[in-house]
Amino acid sequence: MIRIKRTNSDNGDFQELVKALDLELKLRDGEEHVFYAELNKTDRLQYAVVAYDQEEAVGCGAVREYSEGTMEVKRMFVPLSKRGHGIATAILTALEMWCRELNVNRCILETGRNQPEAIGLYLKNNYTIIPNFGKYVNSENSICFEKELLPDTLIYCQQKAAIC
């Protein structure tokens, strides 16, 4: 069973997973990686989660405040060898639950066109494509999403995620 641990960006397992994420994104994004790397710094992320299978860290994600009532999902990652087992959905569900507990009613995020697995994940989890926001407005490689977190989302999330 996957266990989700709430933490922050100082967590060593979170940092190791983000290093692996950055290596993968550097390959996928090519020359555009420098632009994205500047927007994906992990210092001072207050709301981060790490997914564990037994004692092995198998995924991570975070949210940060974007505006009042809106959090931005950041640094979602599951290593290639662990994909296809629902880990990313568990991470996303846990982040949404945390957002609801913080009285946040909307999540937004950006992902790259070169990340079809991520695009599929967000569509499967009821995120809708929106116009690019913030520093992604002029980025042709970016696809932005949003999800309104309804009041019943908290109950659903509690049923789907094992949080500690």
Side-chain angles (χ1 to χ4, degrees), residues 85-154:
H85 302 287
I87 298 167
T89 293
I91 292 167
L92 194 56
T93 300
L95 290 170
E96 290 171 3
M97 184 172 110
W98 206 351
C99 287
R100 289 298 304 139
E101 291 172 12
L102 295 167
N103 295 314
V104 170
N105 57 17
R106 178 175 174 242
C107 286
I108 60 172
L109 62 91
E110 178 276 342
T111 194
R113 293 188 187 278
N114 297 328
Q115 299 174 53
E117 308 93 333
I119 294 167
L121 169 72
Y122 300 127
L123 290 172
K124 179 179 88 171
N125 284 281
N126 301 313
Y127 281 74
T128 56
I129 296 174
I130 59 171
N132 288 2
F133 60 86
K135 296 190 178 191
Y136 304 109
V137 167
N138 296 315
S139 174
E140 292 181 20
N141 185 47
S142 293
I143 300 175
C144 292
F145 291 85
E146 76 173 350
K147 181 177 182 178
E148 295 295 326
L149 301 177
L150 304 173
D152 64 341
T153 305
L154 180 58

Side-chain angles (χ1 to χ4, degrees), residues 1-145:
M1 179 172 151
I2 299 301
R3 176 178 57 89
I4 306 289
K5 177 181 179 181
R6 289 181 176 183
T7 187
N8 60 41
S9 57
D10 293 335
N11 178 282
D13 289 331
F14 180 82
Q15 291 176 7
E16 288 301 313
L17 287 161
V18 166
K19 284 180 191 174
L21 168 62
D22 287 338
L23 286 174
E24 183 175 321
L25 291 178
K26 187 174 183 178
L27 292 173
R28 289 186 188 222
D29 294 336
E31 293 178 11
E32 293 187 46
H33 182 69
V34 173
F35 167 74
Y36 290 108
E38 196 59 36
L39 300 174
N40 287 321
K41 297 192 184 268
T42 58
D43 55 329
R44 297 187 308 259
L45 286 175
Q46 189 175 353
Y47 308 104
V49 298
V50 176
Y52 291 90
D53 183 4
Q54 306 295 326
E55 297 303 314
E56 179 185 8
V58 295
C60 66
V63 290
R64 70 173 178 189
E65 186 173 3
Y66 183 78
S67 63
E68 187 174 339
T70 301
M71 290 284 220
E72 182 180 6
V73 177
K74 302 295 290 177
R75 313 313 295 175
M76 287 286 300
F77 180 68
V78 174
L80 185 59
S81 65
K82 301 296 181 179
R83 292 180 190 164
H85 302 287
I87 298 167
T89 293
I91 292 167
L92 194 56
T93 300
L95 290 170
E96 290 171 3
M97 184 172 110
W98 206 351
C99 287
R100 289 298 304 139
E101 291 172 12
L102 295 167
N103 295 314
V104 170
N105 57 17
R106 178 175 174 242
C107 286
I108 60 172
L109 62 91
E110 178 276 342
T111 194
R113 293 188 187 278
N114 297 328
Q115 299 174 53
E117 308 93 333
I119 294 167
L121 169 72
Y122 300 127
L123 290 172
K124 179 179 88 171
N125 284 281
N126 301 313
Y127 281 74
T128 56
I129 296 174
I130 59 171
N132 288 2
F133 60 86
K135 296 190 178 191
Y136 304 109
V137 167
N138 296 315
S139 174
E140 292 181 20
N141 185 47
S142 293
I143 300 175
C144 292
F145 291 85

